[in-house]
Amino acid sequence: MTTENGTAPSETNVEVPSAPAAPMRWDGWGDPARAESLPFAVRSLLPLVLGRVRRPPAGPALEDVHVGASALVPDDIAAFAALLGARHVRTDAESRIRHAGGRSTPDLLRRRQAAQSAPDAVLQPAGHDEVAACLRVATERDLAVVPFGGGTSVVGALEPERGAHRGVVSLDLGRMSGLLQYDAVSAEAVLAAGTSGPEAERLLAEHGMELGHYPQSFRYATIGGFAAARSSGQNSAGYGRFDTMVTGIRVATPTGDLELGRSPGSAAGPDLIRLFLGSEGIFGVITEVRVRVHPVPAERLMESWSFPDFATGAAALRAVAQHGGGPTVIRLSDETETGVSLAQVGRIGRALAKGASAVTVFEGDDVAGRRARTAEILRGAGGASLGEGAAEEWLRTRFDGPYLRDALLDAGVFCETLETATTWSRLPALREAVTEAIKAGFSEVGRKAFVMCHVSHIYPTGASLYFTVLAPLGSDPLTAWAGVKHRVGDAIMAAGGTISHHHAVGRDHAPWLSEEIGETGIRILAAVKRELDPHGVMNPGAVLGPATPAPVSTKA
């Protein structure tokens, strides 16, 4: 169904605000005005799956949080102010606290503490040249730099870690927003790195185009963040991962600038663009991103499905990936996640029933034909159509999940996510290994865990697995989760999965990177970092782990 102007109905359209999003809640997710209470149905379900849960004391108000004095001296502040203007060099407590990390559950639990670590200053450059100048000054003055986009990292990539340096500054790219170039003939657009997802779509829509990249962090995450983390959006089945959308980038590093992507294809050596996609600010700062774009879809159709169990549903998704069908979105929830979804809409009686569920969405050309082809495959693999209702509800609320996490934390429930991916042949064993590692880890500290899983991205050769974990907070949730996370990382590696499919490495996954890419791979990345960032000021501790001195050659 479409409106007269050819766009999808507003109730199923992606939110594209005409004004900037409200500032992110400092100690939780998103717009404070959109914070939700825990639904009654979910409150009723929690004792059934977790036992008794104690509500924790409220966290401090922002004005009551203590951060140490800034390590910057007046000469540092003056040097940055000469580049950016005094009002764009922020050392006040609130600015520092708001840049003190990302939005993982451990990040949010730390925000609930009275004393917190924070960067020594927040710098707000307006463009590439100012970023490059800030990197030069930071290097000269022995200050670490943590690039900051929308603040949505969930892997510790935004921790204000100074490493061996005198201090650390957060480089907020929020002023670097906008559509810098649009090439209608080539269907390419250049966007400033600090442009948020909604703002990018609003600007492209003025030309009848869209990027179509919609991760759950869409409302706040930025174009530069999508690139730096190798993001994968919910529409990946139709439009691909973000790294496949990128055709060029501009980067500022402590030792020089790069502008990459002269043509749509090249054999001029290794593709350096890919080196920076996923680099998470350890080499430099991505300041501009050129992306391929496509017309705003004129039509959208959707359909919901049920399967007897997760294994049947996974086999059905594999058939779609390998034999075609063409969905823009396809997702499969396991029996547990399906049950919780039913509970959230008040159907508690079926909340623990068996059965998996899926949603499919089709946008663009030939949506009816693609829907019919996909339906034929899913039905032939054991699926039953449930109509459009559940898919419409998912589409309407697909960016709201983190608000529920805040409500769970307030109620005393630890709620965190993690993800991985592997080949279809290894998928069942990987899912079982991760689930068992989570439950065993929490059991060791005397807590029950409730684990949900879904497939959100599919490929001809494999798929991702996305886990949501609930457990009682207990007295020391950060220590408890660190133990669970370590156990899960080991289980993922042993089962042949990747340590991250789309959340990136950050600091949380750095301990497993060498096992994934090998010691030679680590040496390659470390060598690139030494060349571009010889003093190690760029996001120390991220991706490669704690900085270590360069090895001394023993050759004569």
Side-chain angles (χ1 to χ4, degrees), residues 253-443:
T253 82
T255 57
D257 299 343
L258 296 99
E259 291 194 42
L260 303 169
R262 294 175 61 91
S263 68
S266 172
D271 188 348
L272 294 182
I273 294 175
R274 308 302 141 186
L275 184 65
F276 288 92
L277 299 180
S279 61
E280 301 183 68
I282 66 168
F283 301 145
V285 181
I286 297 171
T287 59
E288 298 174 13
V289 184
R290 189 169 74 248
V291 290
R292 58 175 170 82
V293 295
H294 57 264
V296 173
E299 190 176 7
R300 174 187 288 150
L301 294 176
M302 61 205 73
E303 192 163 11
S304 313
W305 292 84
S306 67
F307 296 91
D309 49 45
F310 182 80
T312 303
L317 266 64
R318 177 173 62 84
V320 170
Q322 293 178 344
H323 302 297
T328 307
V329 177
I330 186 166
R331 297 166 65 87
L332 172 72
S333 294
D334 72 358
E335 297 88 339
T336 307
E337 187 170 279
T338 298
V340 169
S341 296
L342 290 168
Q344 286 183 258
V345 294
R347 299 168 70 181
I348 300 176
R350 292 186 54 200
L352 300 179
K354 297 296 182 182
S357 61
V359 298
T360 57
V361 180
F362 305 85
E363 295 179 353
D365 299 329
D366 188 28
V367 292
R370 289 157 50 208
R371 175 180 172 179
R373 290 191 293 274
T374 299
E376 182 180 3
I377 294 171
L378 296 180
R379 193 174 289 112
S385 174
L386 299 177
E388 296 185 351
E392 287 181 335
E393 176 66 13
W394 172 80
L395 201 63
R396 185 181 67 81
T397 62
R398 60 174 168 168
F399 304 127
D400 294 338
Y403 288 106
L404 180 60
R405 177 184 59 171
D406 289 340
L408 287 165
L409 289 175
D410 290 341
V413 177
F414 180 92
C415 176
E416 182 60 302
T417 62
L418 56 92
E419 41 74 44
T420 181
T422 192
T423 59
W424 289 112
S425 60
R426 291 174 173 171
L427 202 72
L430 177 62
R431 175 172 170 255
E432 181 178 0
V434 172
T435 301
E436 289 305 312
I438 293 168
K439 291 182 176 180
F442 274 110
S443 178

Side-chain angles (χ1 to χ4, degrees), residues 1-11 13 298-299:
M1 177 179 177
T2 60
T3 59
E4 291 181 0
N5 65 3
T7 61
S10 60
E11 64 268 21
N13 258 357
E299 190 176 7

Side-chain angles (χ1 to χ4, degrees), residues 8 13 81 148 152 174 202 222 231 234 281 315 373 402 436 477 479 502 516 546:
N13 258 357
F148 191 99
T152 62
R202 184 188 70 79
T222 62
S231 172
Q234 296 162 346
R373 290 191 293 274
E436 289 305 312
T479 300
H502 58 268
E516 175 143 345

Side-chain angles (χ1 to χ4, degrees), residues 399 513 539:
F399 304 127
L513 186 60
N539 212 2

